[in-house]
Amino acid sequence: MSKLAARYGISDAGLKKACDRHQVPTPPRGYWAKLKAGHKPKQVPLSPVTDTRLDRIRLGSSSLALPEPVRLVIEAQKAERKRAFKPAQQPALIGSGPIADVHTAVRRTVQVLRRCKPTEPAVHAAGEGLCGVWVGRDSVERAVFVLDQLARLLAGKGAPLVPTGQAMKVLVGSDTAVLVLSERRRTVAHVPNAKELAEEARRQEQLERYWRNPTRWPQPPYGRVYPETDTIWTGELSIRIEGYSDGVRRTWADGRTQRLEDLIPLVVDGIDVLLAARKAQREAREEQARQWAELERRRKLASARREREKARLAFFDGLVALRRGADDIRRALSEIDSSLSASEGGQVARMMAWGETRLREMEEELQAARIEERLTVAKLFPGEDEDELSDPLGEPAPR
């Protein structure tokens, strides 16, 4: 089961569950050991099922559906992590104090974050040259650590972190990943304190007096003196890659047993994987567009060949008509000439002269040299090496 599960990129427990769902018997514990020892353990036969939904089993992890370049990046990362494995340690932030020399890419953002006043519940470092970080006051130094380490690891891979004002951008070639660092927050109903309740009672009293005599009292505010809800900053940080994920991970966050500081190398690896996925998809789109453009080009060539064939037929029909016309004129001149006496002349003679001139012109148009000249100009019958409309792949598929 373990060997077969590895082939499909899932765990042996996952394979066992899939077999159980589809009523496929599996070897019990010790089956292969007994078989290797020469015993003949009982083999449960595959029973027939009437439910057609059980006829087909789909196995495999989501990574198997990824393009091959993306899978290669993931496998390379796994091998690298295996070589560089170290026991889990506490984040470097704990007990080390604030970072003094932060990376230049996030320095302005860190300055804004650290200007958060004690009276402010949160700070939003957004604007020109900033990373768009929004965190609670108590999470500022954690955010600084994450930004600094993220910028340093990305710079080491030749993919610098670029602030965009509302987020951060990592650009590799023509592919971009936009990252957002934020803190999860939730909204709860506001519980008023004694001072707020007293102020609200005074406002209600003023409102009642105003209703009794609107001319004596200024109108008090209608809204409560305290808010309806409060925003709670949970201290849970997360990094999210904006946009489509292409089937790969794009969110990393604090959990029960992990902190975002420990996940920064995985975040950087995830950015590599997502950029590889976007590159593969972009190249697939570009290849599809190239194939479509090539098909359109071939279709235009096919259309031009059809138009050329019509022009060929028209040219040839013109030659046939010209030959028939010349023969008709020759025959008419001969008949007219034989029916006239030598003494006749005048306009008939001039007509005969005109007819002979017209016949010579038509005969000249029917000469091979003149036909070759006209065909060369019209490009109706070019050689194989000169045919601009040739398509070695034959006729393309119609629209």
Side-chain angles (χ1 to χ4, degrees):
M1 294 290 286
S2 59
K3 293 181 180 179
L4 189 60
R7 183 188 305 174
Y8 293 106
I10 59 177
S11 65
D12 52 355
L15 179 59
K16 179 67 167 63
K17 291 179 181 179
C19 292
D20 292 343
R21 282 195 302 268
H22 292 267
Q23 301 180 19
V24 176
T26 57
R29 290 183 180 276
Y31 177 86
W32 298 107
K34 293 178 181 179
L35 197 64
K36 187 176 181 179
H39 300 289
K40 294 182 179 180
K42 182 180 179 181
Q43 185 177 6
V44 181
L46 182 67
S47 60
V49 294
T50 57
D51 190 348
T52 56
R53 294 174 298 180
L54 302 178
D55 286 346
R56 178 168 298 183
I57 306 175
R58 296 188 181 274
L59 299 174
S61 65
S62 59
S63 62
L64 295 179
L66 296 174
E68 183 178 359
V70 183
R71 295 199 303 272
L72 293 177
V73 171
I74 294 175
E75 292 172 1
Q77 290 177 353
K78 288 181 178 179
E80 179 62 26
R81 284 197 296 269
K82 188 176 181 180
R83 286 194 300 268
F85 173 76
K86 295 180 180 180
Q89 299 177 351
Q90 292 293 327
L93 181 65
I94 297 178
S96 60
I99 300 176
D101 185 20
V102 296
H103 194 273
T104 55
V106 298
R107 187 166 295 167
R108 290 187 58 190
T109 302
V110 170
Q111 291 173 352
V112 173
L113 291 175
R114 286 176 171 170
R115 284 201 294 263
C116 182
K117 299 178 181 179
T119 56
E120 296 175 340
V123 58
H124 189 192
E128 185 178 356
L130 301 179
C131 297
V133 178
W134 198 359
V135 295
R137 182 180 63 251
D138 297 335
S139 301
V140 166
E141 290 305 322
R142 288 190 63 203
V144 170
F145 179 84
V146 170
L147 288 173
D148 177 71
Q149 294 300 306
L150 188 63
R152 293 181 186 280
L153 288 180
L154 287 171
K157 289 198 169 188
L161 190 68
V162 180
T164 65
Q166 298 298 327
M168 300 165 280
K169 179 174 65 175
V170 180
L171 181 65
V172 176
S174 302
D175 305 295
T176 305
V178 177
L179 286 71
V180 175
L181 171 62
S182 61
E183 180 176 339
R184 191 173 73 87
R185 56 191 185 275
R186 53 189 176 90
T187 301
V188 297
H190 178 77
V191 179
N193 55 34
K195 182 179 179 180
E196 291 173 335
L197 291 174
E199 290 181 359
E200 177 62 19
R202 284 195 296 270
R203 188 190 70 85
Q204 291 290 344
E205 183 180 353
Q206 292 174 359
L207 194 59
E208 291 176 1
R209 289 178 182 178
Y210 173 77
W211 285 339
R212 289 196 301 267
N213 188 359
T215 60
R216 288 187 57 187
W217 295 90
Q219 182 179 356
Y222 277 100
R224 290 180 177 177
V225 297
Y226 55 84
E228 294 286 342
T229 60
D230 291 328
T231 298
I232 304 298
W233 294 86
T234 64
E236 299 174 7
L237 298 183
S238 69
I239 289 180
R240 182 183 70 258
I241 301 179
E242 297 286 86
Y244 57 93
S245 64
D246 300 302
V248 299
R249 183 177 181 179
R250 65 186 183 98
T251 302
W252 296 263
D254 289 337
R256 293 181 179 179
T257 60
Q258 65 184 18
R259 304 213 315 166
L260 185 59
E261 293 90 324
D262 303 320
L263 303 178
I264 297 175
L266 296 181
V267 174
V268 175
D269 287 346
I271 294 172
D272 287 343
V273 172
L274 186 132
L275 288 174
R278 290 184 176 176
K279 178 182 179 181
Q281 194 170 78
R282 174 179 56 80
E283 290 176 346
R285 290 195 303 267
E286 292 174 351
E287 177 61 20
Q288 185 179 18
R290 188 198 64 77
Q291 292 179 2
W292 178 259
E294 175 63 14
L295 182 59
E296 285 298 301
R297 186 189 70 84
R298 293 179 58 217
R299 285 171 175 168
K300 289 181 179 179
L301 290 179
S303 177
R305 288 195 297 273
R306 290 191 293 270
E307 294 299 321
R308 185 175 66 180
E309 191 64 21
K310 293 179 182 178
R312 286 173 172 176
L313 292 174
F315 186 89
F316 199 80
D317 289 344
L319 291 179
V320 172
L322 191 63
R323 168 53 62 193
R324 289 176 179 174
D327 293 341
D328 291 343
I329 291 176
R330 185 180 298 103
R331 186 169 52 255
L333 289 175
S334 175
E335 292 175 355
I336 294 174
D337 182 71
S338 60
S339 64
L340 293 177
S341 63
S343 61
E344 295 182 15
Q347 294 192 37
V348 174
R350 290 193 293 274
M351 181 193 72
M352 294 288 289
W354 175 85
E356 291 173 353
T357 302
R358 175 58 182 156
L359 179 59
R360 284 194 302 272
E361 293 174 352
M362 297 175 72
E363 291 290 353
E364 290 177 359
E365 288 294 323
L366 291 171
Q367 293 295 318
R370 178 56 180 161
I371 295 176
E372 179 70 22
E373 180 183 349
R374 291 174 59 192
L375 288 175
T376 301
V377 173
K379 298 181 179 181
L380 294 181
F381 295 92
E384 292 184 1
D385 297 336
E386 302 173 351
D387 191 358
E388 299 176 352
L389 304 183
S390 175
D391 188 348
L393 299 179
E395 291 296 314
R399 285 187 179 87

